[in-house]
């Protein structure tokens, strides 16, 4: 149109154009890797056994505690580059590998620096209650109290002074409710403490054991409940009527070599808003690719291509509180757009193992080709 002369035009004829993908659950900031643990798992070691013996999250926590903010940023940046190439234009990133007040704050500082220096738009989540650190092994309640009394107030203060607050980007408070992590009572205490600081809850619930995390999430008005691998039919029905968004993480099941996946089809049928996410992390899902997650969800969770795309765009945006601005191609929304190397968007989930994202546009600017 004459009143809006274009400085740059892109020819997308014969190409499918879709909204930029939103990854609403990642642990993308970390140091080191867990490739040796991966090999142990291939030989039969169990995830919860590794967690109980000080491996798993605790081993990444050791690496993160030793890393400077600059190192965390340097190790994470290539992961964000890869996510962007694969079509993710916005991602949530959690803390939870520091597990001390200082190193949780260092993770938040790394997320802020990455957001300001990388085209991928980030949303921070505090996950001090990710694992019981080794020094609190015999006193998990003591660690929950540290999260509540010391970490959460400082994280909330950090947020208030951050550019995220100034720009209206929300800040969430998450907890891993699971055996050998946080009990339902501890999860409630941590999430209620976050609410007292104005932080809306998220929860890791029902990954291995159904402890009641979904009910808690709904009761506390959590924006999302994530994993949901062993969620009961009753709780699936509850999610069908709740505002809380259901976020299955099929790359985790895949990486753990499991043939069991969250009942995403059942969640959709129940009326739940379903979002997909990578859960990008060094232990259970070293996966930067939303299209791969979508491909898994179609094959193993019986989502249709349109449902997988919806779950990775508008629903995913709502799962991080940004559905009003992101997640769909609409007048007035931010121009986060992908041009695919295919005429039909269904190729994005039909093909897998490569990258069909030809052009990435973030905030109206071409940021990746
Ligand atoms: Zn997670």
């Amino acid at each position: 149109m004459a009143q809006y002369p274009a400085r740059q035009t892109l020819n997308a004829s014969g190409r499918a154009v879709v909204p930029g993908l939103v990854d609403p659950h990642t642990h993308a900031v970390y140091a080191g890797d867990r490739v040796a643990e991966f090999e142990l798992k291939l030989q039969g070691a169990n995830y919860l056994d590794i967690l109980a013996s000080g491996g798993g999250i605790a081993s990444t926590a050791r690496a993160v505690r030793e890393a400077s903010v600059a190192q965390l940023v340097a190790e994470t940046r290539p992961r964000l580059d890869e996510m962007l190439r694969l079509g993710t234009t916005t991602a949530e990133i959690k803390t939870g590998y520091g597990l001390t007040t200082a190193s949780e704050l260092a993770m938040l500082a790394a997320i802020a620096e990455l957001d300001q220096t990388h085209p991928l738009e980030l949303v921070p989540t505090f996950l001090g209650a990710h694992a019981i650190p080794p020094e609190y092994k015999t006193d998990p309640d003591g660690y929950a109290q540290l999260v509540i009394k010391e970490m959460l107030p400082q994280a909330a203060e950090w947020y208030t002074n951050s550019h995220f607050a100034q720009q209206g980007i929300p800040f969430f408070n998450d907890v891993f409710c699971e055996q050998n992590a946080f009990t339902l009572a501890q999860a409630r205490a941590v999430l209620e403490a976050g609410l007292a600081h104005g932080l809306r809850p998220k929860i890791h619930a029902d990954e291995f054991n159904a402890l009641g995390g979904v009910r808690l999430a709904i009761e506390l008005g959590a924006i999302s409940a994530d994993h949901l691998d062993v969620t009961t039919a009753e709780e699936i029905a509850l999610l069908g009527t709740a505002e809380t968004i259901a976020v299955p993480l099929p790359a985790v099941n895949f990486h753990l070599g499991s043939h069991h996946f969250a009942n995403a089809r059942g969640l959709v049928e129940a009326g739940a808003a379903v979002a997909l996410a990578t859960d990008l992390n060094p232990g259970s899902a070293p996966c930067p690719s939303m299209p791969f997650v979508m491909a898994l969800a179609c094959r193993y969770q019986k989502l249709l291509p349109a449902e997988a795309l919806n779950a990775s765009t508008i629903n995913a945006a709502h799962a991080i509180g940004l559905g009003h601005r992101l997640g769909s191609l609409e007048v007035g929304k931010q121009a986060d757009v992908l041009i695919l190397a295919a005429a039909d968007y269904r190729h994005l989930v039909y093909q897998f193992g490569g990258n069909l994202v030809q052009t990435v546009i973030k905030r109206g600017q071409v940021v990746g080709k």
Side-chain angles (χ1 to χ4, degrees):
M1 288 194 288
Q3 66 194 112
Y4 301 114
R7 263 170 289 166
Q8 189 187 3
T9 55
L10 293 169
N11 185 353
S13 62
R15 307 287 190 204
V17 173
V18 300
L21 303 176
V22 177
D23 189 344
H25 181 143
T26 88
H27 307 255
V29 170
Y30 58 84
D33 63 57
R34 303 236 291 273
V35 70
E37 183 185 296
F38 172 64
E39 194 170 24
L40 282 176
K41 282 189 203 153
L42 294 179
Q43 294 168 299
N46 166 291
Y47 179 80
L48 289 181
D49 291 344
I50 289 171
L51 199 61
S53 67
I57 294 168
S59 73
T60 298
R62 280 192 295 277
V64 167
R65 285 175 181 184
E66 286 165 15
S68 63
V69 173
Q71 276 173 280
L72 290 175
V73 167
E75 289 202 36
T76 304
R77 193 179 299 282
R79 288 191 277 275
L80 302 190
D81 292 341
E82 188 67 0
M83 292 164 78
L84 192 69
R85 272 196 291 272
L86 290 157
T88 298
T89 48
T90 304
E92 182 254 27
I93 302 184
K94 304 173 194 298
T95 71
Y97 289 128
L99 310 177
T100 64
T101 304
S103 51
E104 287 293 300
L105 289 169
M107 289 190 75
L108 288 170
I111 296 169
E113 185 174 335
L114 286 160
D115 184 56
Q116 289 177 305
T117 57
H118 195 281
L120 215 164
E121 185 171 353
L122 302 177
V123 173
T125 292
F126 174 71
L127 179 59
H130 191 197
I132 308 292
E135 63 273 22
Y136 280 91
K137 203 174 174 186
T138 58
D139 184 19
D141 277 325
Y143 182 69
Q145 285 306 307
L146 179 75
V147 171
I148 290 166
K149 298 222 166 85
E150 189 177 296
M151 290 187 192
L152 264 170
Q154 294 196 35
E157 192 188 342
W158 164 85
Y159 173 66
T160 305
N161 297 319
S162 73
H163 75 277
F164 292 111
Q166 281 145 29
Q167 294 175 7
I169 305 290
F171 183 41
F172 300 103
N173 179 36
D174 198 343
V175 60
F176 185 19
C177 183
E178 184 56 65
Q179 276 178 24
N180 293 321
F182 294 83
T183 65
L184 188 65
Q186 289 163 346
R188 172 185 288 278
V190 167
L191 296 182
E192 285 181 343
L195 279 167
H197 289 285
L199 273 54
R200 194 161 173 197
K202 279 181 168 281
I203 191 167
H204 289 62
D206 301 347
E207 181 176 2
F208 301 103
N209 300 283
L211 303 185
V214 166
R215 275 175 199 278
L216 178 69
I218 294 170
E219 180 196 328
L220 297 181
I223 194 157
S224 74
D226 303 25
H227 281 297
L228 311 176
D229 297 295
V230 295
T231 301
T232 62
E234 222 181 321
E235 285 173 310
I236 286 175
L238 283 177
L239 280 166
T241 57
E243 293 281 304
T244 301
I245 294 176
V247 187
L249 305 167
V252 176
N253 312 95
F254 173 81
H255 185 68
L256 300 182
S258 170
H259 298 277
H260 177 81
F261 290 81
N263 186 3
R265 183 78 248 151
L267 284 159
V268 170
E269 301 299 336
V274 173
L276 291 168
T278 59
D279 196 15
L280 171 57
N281 78 81
S284 63
C287 171
S289 174
M290 284 298 290
F292 180 65
V293 167
M294 294 160 71
L296 290 174
C298 289
R299 285 158 182 79
Y300 294 108
Q301 299 174 298
K302 305 300 172 204
L303 293 191
L304 295 172
E307 291 170 330
L309 184 62
N310 180 281
S312 305
T313 53
I314 187 68
N315 285 6
H318 279 293
I320 50 174
L322 295 177
H324 59 287
R325 175 159 66 80
L326 306 175
S328 56
L329 301 179
E330 288 181 68
V331 172
K333 277 197 164 181
Q334 186 167 298
D336 293 0
V337 182
L338 308 180
I339 302 174
L340 306 183
D344 183 330
Y345 76 92
R346 293 175 298 179
H347 278 268
L348 193 56
V349 295
Y350 162 66
Q351 300 186 38
F352 64 94
N355 185 9
L356 272 186
V357 176
Q358 185 184 68
T359 305
V360 180
I361 298 156
K362 179 68 185 174
R363 296 184 171 101
Q365 303 292 320
V366 174
V367 290
K369 266 185 172 179

